């Protein structure tokens, strides 16, 4: 009887160790933020910020004014402009955006347009203040429908959340030139 | 009896392993958070060998955006260079009544606002304990962006990497100036 109890204890221990090893998160998933889906109204709430996707626009070229000079950027692909409303929840924060394309590729914001007025890369968000920044991506047309916008706080993403917005039902009408102002 | 001893030894070793593993993480966390906040009665207080004094607090509101303000805080640090060195760095954040935290702006494009708001038109730079001399106090200027509704109940929290989790809290009452937008 005693041998049977010892055997059961060893078997139970082995089973528990096996279960722990099988559910041990990998390095990648440990450093990934949790996905939080935005509501149907386009508003999503992460741990550190609240964001609303106001709309999407696409264009073949973008123009804006910087230090009194007109700047024009064009592309052989498409500029996708996401207009957002963001406020920090508890502490001043910077936010970064990625576009998860329909093919599964991930697009960071275009560094060619970092200096546009209201650009997300330059903005910092404060508690109880809502600002309306722009996130701009440069990507092929067929990545828009079926793709989705993801926002996350800049910096450490461990145990943090990333807000996933719903995919657009149709591609926004492509403008030849989009003028961005303050 | 022997089984109880083995069980006891296992529990002690488990607790010791847990403690040894968690201790560096706990120390790291304690250097980031302000758990032990000492409230100063007046506009001056002392923390870890350095005397902190708030000298000027001015807020500016532009009439075209009446919901938000830029807040300029001028304070000085005084103490021995040894104590200043032990601070390592300086974090000067503002806390609202709901526990919100506003961090200073580090964007140089907006820093010239300090010269407009400061009575002497000077910008003394960001808080830096390394600049504290033996001879007397040294002055710093910080700039914040926050909602106008928060101006009535604000506390300035000052701490350094070496002082945290201890921090000094000083109540501030800003004077508000309204500017006309062009």
């Amino acid at each position: 009887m005693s041998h049977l109890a010892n055997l059961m204890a060893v078997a139970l221990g082995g089973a528990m160790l096996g279960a722990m090893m099988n559910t041990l998160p990998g390095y990648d998933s440990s450093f990934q933020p949790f996905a939080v889906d935005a509501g149907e109204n386009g508003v999503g709430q992460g741990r550190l910020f609240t964001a609303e996707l106001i709309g999407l626009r696409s264009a073949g070229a973008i123009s804006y004014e910087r230090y009194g000079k007109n700047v024009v950027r064009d592309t052989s692909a498409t500029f996708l402009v996401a207009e957002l409303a963001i406020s920090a929840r508890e502490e001043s924060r910077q936010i970064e955006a990625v576009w998860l394309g329909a093919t599964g590729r991930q697009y960071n914001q275009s560094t060619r347009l970092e200096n546009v007025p209201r650009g997300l890369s330059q903005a910092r968000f404060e508690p109880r203040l809502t600002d309306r920044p722009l996130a701009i991506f440069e990507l092929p047309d067929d990545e828009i429908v079926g793709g989705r916008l993801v926002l996350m706080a800049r910096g450490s993403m461990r145990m943090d959340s990333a807000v996933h917005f719903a995919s657009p039902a149709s591609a926004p009408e492509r403008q030849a030139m989009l003028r961005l102002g303050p | 009896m022997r089984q109880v001893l083995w069980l006891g030894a296992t529990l002690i070793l488990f607790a010791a392993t847990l403690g040894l593993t968690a201790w560096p993480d706990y120390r790291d966390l304690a250097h980031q958070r302000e758990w032990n906040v000492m409230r100063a009665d007046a506009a001056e207080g002392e923390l870890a060998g350095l005397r902190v004094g708030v000298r000027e607090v001015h807020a500016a509101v532009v009439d075209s955006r009446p919901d938000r303000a830029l807040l300029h805080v001028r304070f000085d640090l005084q103490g021995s260079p040894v104590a200043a060195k032990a601070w390592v760095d300086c974090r000067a954040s503002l806390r609202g009544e709901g526990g919100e935290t506003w961090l200073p702006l580090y964007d140089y494009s907006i820093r010239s606002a300090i010269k407009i708001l400061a009575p002497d038109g000077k910008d003394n730079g960001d808080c830096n304990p390394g600049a504290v001399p033996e001879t007397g106090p040294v002055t710093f200027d910080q700039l914040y962006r926050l909602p106008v509704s928060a101006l009535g109940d604000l506390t300035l929290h000052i701490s350094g990497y070496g002082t945290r989790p201890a921090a000094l809290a000083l109540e501030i009452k800003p004077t508000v100036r309204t500017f006309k937008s062009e």
Side-chain angles (χ1 to χ4, degrees), chain A residues 55-143:
Chain A
L56 293 172
R57 287 186 281 175
S58 71
I62 284 177
S63 70
Y64 57 96
E65 191 177 292
R66 181 157 173 83
Y67 299 130
K69 286 185 178 174
N70 196 46
V71 179
V72 179
R73 297 273 183 265
D74 60 5
T75 177
S76 56
T78 294
F79 285 128
L80 179 67
V81 181
E83 188 165 7
L84 302 155
I86 301 178
S87 60
R89 292 186 64 191
E90 289 171 3
E91 191 177 281
S92 309
R93 278 282 156 180
Q94 286 189 293
I95 307 290
E96 60 184 300
V98 294
W99 184 264
L100 296 180
T103 60
R105 294 188 181 95
Q106 179 176 311
Y107 296 86
N108 292 340
Q109 288 182 83
S110 172
T111 50
R112 297 173 61 213
L113 290 156
E114 263 182 356
N115 298 321
V116 294
R118 294 163 53 206
L120 181 70
S121 321
Q122 307 293 324
R124 200 184 72 182
F125 303 96
E126 312 293 342
R128 287 163 54 189
L129 280 183
T130 302
D131 293 299
R132 296 184 63 164
L134 302 171
I136 305 176
F137 307 93
E138 191 174 358
L139 36 70
D141 267 332
D142 59 0
E143 294 280 23

Side-chain angles (χ1 to χ4, degrees), chain B residues 5-16:
Chain B
L5 282 175
W6 277 117
L7 200 63
T10 308
L11 282 175
I12 289 167
L13 285 171
F14 176 70

Side-chain angles (χ1 to χ4, degrees), chain B residues 8 26 40 49 61 67 77 87 90 98 109 131 138-139 145 156 161 176:
Chain B
Y26 170 76
V61 181
D67 64 325
L77 297 182
W87 272 49
C90 176
S109 62
V138 61
T139 305
R145 193 169 69 98
L156 176 70
Y161 179 86
V176 183

